[in-house]
Amino acid sequence: MNPFVAIAPEVQAALSEGRAVVALESTIIAHGMPYPANLETALRLEAVVRQAGAVPATCAIVDGRLRAGLSEEEIERFAQKGRSIAKASRRDLGYLLSRGLDGATTVAATMIIAHLAGIRCFATGGIGGVHRGASATFDISADLQELAHTPVAVVCAGAKSILDLGLTLEYLETFGVPILGYQTDEFPAFYARSSGLKVDYRMETPEAIAQLLKAHWGIGLRSGAVVANPIPELYALNDKDMEETIAKAIADAEHQRIRGKDLTPFLLARIEQLTGGLSLKANVELVCNNAHLAARVAQALVARHHQGFGAV
Ligand code: PSU
Ligand code: MN
């Protein structure tokens, strides 16, 4: 095994025995939510995955090693230290590993860990994407390139409209990443269930999603996939209000000249502030909803009895 990678015994046992495993990310803990909501959410996500019959593997960099599966104490440390822990995407891994440091892994870096560990299904809140104004700033999340190259399915509630969702979908199309809508025709916009943009394929069941993934990877395609799962109706926020809030958050970021890897966490925190915590509640609920679906997809991926076109 790679000396830079450590898989928790419970996760390793599940993988060896062909049981379902769901990867979870840690940027959402350290940079995406405030303490203690981040801690409660991280632990609740693991519980949701377990209740749905899969094993959770929260991923992060701890003391210079890529880790799939953290202890409760480690999750607590990441939650408490928050933004003082480095936000780690693909380009940051070599540095953090060589220095023996900690890192909170983004969607991109979590996909890398999941792939190294042999985990094919990953749940998060929202993926990074093409930022509004990217034609001038070139700000395109490394998450999209990871989806282009790393065969892991990412279950998310679409993407926040801090991004240009249309350009994000165009980019993913160029790189051959299928966008699968779970019981929806529309690409969801995180707090909102719809965006006016279409998904590539509507899927009614976790089994259908797993069959598509098995075919996609079964012919040697190396790209990931986006499983877009709309926020439950009960927790969805008003579209128009959120649009105004997001526009204000982006204007504040421009005014304060926030750039690069700091931009996404800044916008998330500002939206939280501007909505007086309303967005946080929605965020927590949609991630849990994604963890539940991811556990079902992971189970369908390891099931042997359904009809498919060859094993992966
Ligand atoms: N979008 C969210 N919540 C998040 C993130 C994105 O709604 O917490 C985090 C994820 O970890 C994602 C990262 O991978 O931000 C993208 O950052 P960047 O745009 O710097 O690539
Ligand atoms: Mn960026």
Side-chain angles (χ1 to χ4, degrees):
M1 191 68 207
N2 190 317
F4 291 113
V5 183
I7 303 173
E10 186 197 9
V11 173
Q12 186 57 67
L15 290 167
S16 311
E17 292 160 20
R19 287 186 283 120
V21 177
V22 173
L24 299 164
E25 63 148 305
S26 46
T27 290
I28 196 174
I29 305 174
H31 295 261
M33 289 181 188
Y35 183 84
N38 58 354
L39 174 61
E40 287 158 19
T41 306
L43 298 178
R44 189 172 146 200
L45 288 174
E46 294 215 336
V48 166
V49 170
R50 281 184 205 286
Q51 274 157 22
V55 171
T58 299
C59 296
I61 303 167
V62 182
D63 298 332
R65 290 181 97 194
L66 302 179
R67 297 272 306 274
L70 300 186
S71 69
E72 223 173 285
E73 292 70 40
E74 287 167 332
I75 290 177
E76 199 163 329
R77 179 151 67 94
F78 271 68
Q80 274 171 358
K81 288 179 87 177
R83 289 221 218 169
S84 67
I85 292 187
K87 174 179 162 187
S89 194
R90 172 180 275 263
R91 59 107 190 257
D92 307 297
L93 301 182
Y95 174 79
L96 295 170
L97 298 189
S98 66
R99 296 289 176 104
L101 296 172
D102 290 343
T105 50
T106 62
V107 167
T110 304
M111 288 177 76
I112 292 171
I113 296 176
H115 182 53
L116 283 167
I119 303 167
R120 290 178 294 171
C121 195
F122 162 25
T124 186
I127 53 169
V130 179
H131 277 267
R132 294 189 194 182
S135 57
T137 64
F138 258 56
D139 192 344
I140 299 173
S141 173
D143 291 354
L144 300 188
Q145 271 300 299
E146 210 56 54
L147 281 160
H149 300 303
T150 304
V152 172
V154 180
V155 181
C156 63
K160 279 204 175 81
S161 41
I162 55 174
L163 304 173
D164 187 319
L165 300 185
L167 293 188
T168 300
L169 294 182
E170 288 293 346
Y171 192 100
L172 290 170
E173 180 190 3
T174 300
F175 286 95
V177 179
I179 313 292
L180 314 177
Y182 180 62
Q183 298 180 347
T184 182
D185 296 308
E186 272 193 54
F187 187 64
F190 203 83
Y191 302 118
R193 289 175 57 86
S194 58
S195 64
L197 297 161
K198 294 273 175 260
V199 294
D200 298 327
Y201 301 102
R202 178 187 176 117
M203 297 280 133
E204 296 300 339
T205 63
E207 289 71 27
I209 293 169
Q211 284 187 11
L212 185 151
L213 293 171
K214 284 186 182 189
H216 182 82
W217 293 326
I219 55 168
L221 299 182
R222 304 302 292 163
S223 50
V226 173
V227 178
N229 186 28
I231 182 171
E233 204 108 44
L234 184 61
Y235 302 107
L237 300 180
N238 182 294
D239 247 7
K240 225 178 132 270
D241 295 350
M242 285 316 290
E243 192 47 47
E244 277 169 30
T245 302
I246 286 166
K248 170 100 177 68
I250 292 175
D252 290 348
E254 275 165 13
H255 189 69
Q256 295 182 40
R257 296 176 191 278
I258 311 286
R259 298 214 175 93
K261 71 197 278 188
D262 296 331
L263 181 60
T264 297
F266 175 90
L267 292 174
L268 300 181
R270 194 75 188 102
I271 291 167
E272 244 60 291
Q273 276 175 354
L274 290 169
T275 60
L278 206 63
S279 65
L280 180 59
K281 172 82 179 142
N283 199 345
V284 170
E285 295 301 331
L286 69 83
V287 196
C288 289
N289 188 47
N290 295 341
H292 185 257
L293 177 59
R296 295 179 62 199
V297 172
Q299 279 173 309
L301 274 170
V302 297
R304 289 174 200 287
H305 53 269
H306 70 68
Q307 293 179 328
F309 295 93
V312 181

